[in-house]
Amino acid sequence: MLKIIIKLFKSLNSNSHPGEIAHAVSLGMLLGFLPKDNIFWYVITVFVIFLRINKAALVLSTLGFTLLAPLFDSVFDSVGGWFLTINSLEPTFDFLLEIPFVSFTNFNNTIGCGSFLCGLIIYIPIYVIVRIFVWFARNKIIPLLRKTKFFTVISKAKIVKKIADIAAKD
């Protein structure tokens, strides 16, 4: 877990593109919100393996949003309930239920459907916010922190030097 956190901090300060980190956090949000027994979760996970994104940011954001997801279950339930009761989509839903393996998507579960829709809706805003944060951290926050006395004292500590050695190996 320490290596994942180190990789994330290295990526915030490295030459990696801010979009890679932003997409990773956005996809982690989508995976974190989705129920884990949903086939969409597995399909997105396999798809993400082949993308050029920051895997450390993906893992940490997935864990973080998984912990936050139960707080939003009532929102997911109401959004999913609204979407699944749209009369004009009823024939489509009936058709989908007759197709084998479509039931593994749990699209007819209000929380599963609502979490997927909410994840899709806030994907772009999360992407923009994280991209701005990465730019701000790289250009404003990290240079200011490096000038503080606290940073210079902490950087001389043995534990910090060991963590820096671990980070340098990767």
Side-chain angles (χ1 to χ4, degrees):
M1 187 66 157
L2 183 62
K3 284 188 177 187
I4 292 173
I5 294 170
I6 290 170
K7 284 182 181 181
L8 178 63
F9 283 118
K10 278 177 65 174
S11 68
L12 282 175
N13 202 21
S14 70
N15 289 332
S16 65
H17 194 271
E20 294 175 11
I21 299 169
H23 276 301
V25 172
S26 297
L27 285 167
M29 176 267 313
L30 188 59
L31 287 173
F33 282 172
L34 279 172
K36 307 312 175 254
D37 64 344
N38 191 321
I39 199 164
F40 284 137
W41 193 89
Y42 296 104
V43 169
I44 292 170
T45 302
V46 169
F47 174 70
V48 162
I49 291 171
F50 299 106
L51 291 178
R52 184 177 177 177
I53 60 171
N54 187 292
K55 303 298 193 266
L58 174 75
V59 169
L60 290 176
S61 61
T62 301
L63 289 174
F65 283 107
T66 298
L67 294 174
L68 289 176
L71 300 174
F72 298 109
D73 276 350
S74 61
V75 175
F76 297 154
D77 186 44
S78 61
V79 169
W82 165 80
F83 183 73
L84 291 172
T85 56
I86 296 175
N87 289 332
S88 60
L89 294 177
E90 191 173 318
T92 306
F93 295 147
D94 290 338
F95 173 74
L96 289 174
L97 282 173
E98 294 177 12
I99 299 173
F101 299 109
V102 172
S103 62
F104 292 125
T105 64
N106 287 342
F107 79 88
N108 56 344
N109 178 339
T110 57
I111 292 178
C113 180
S115 64
F116 185 67
L117 288 174
C118 287
L120 290 177
I121 290 168
I122 63 173
Y123 186 95
I124 299 292
I126 293 288
Y127 174 85
V128 170
I129 290 168
V130 171
R131 191 163 177 155
I132 291 169
F133 172 76
V134 170
W135 178 87
F136 193 72
R138 285 181 180 175
N139 296 320
K140 304 290 182 191
I141 296 172
I142 293 173
L144 282 175
L145 287 177
R146 286 188 176 160
K147 294 177 184 176
T148 63
K149 278 189 175 184
F150 177 75
F151 185 81
T152 55
V153 170
I154 289 293
S155 63
K156 293 177 183 177
K158 287 183 180 182
I159 186 79
V160 174
K161 288 181 180 180
K162 286 182 181 181
I163 292 172
D165 291 340
I166 292 171
K169 288 179 184 177
D170 288 334

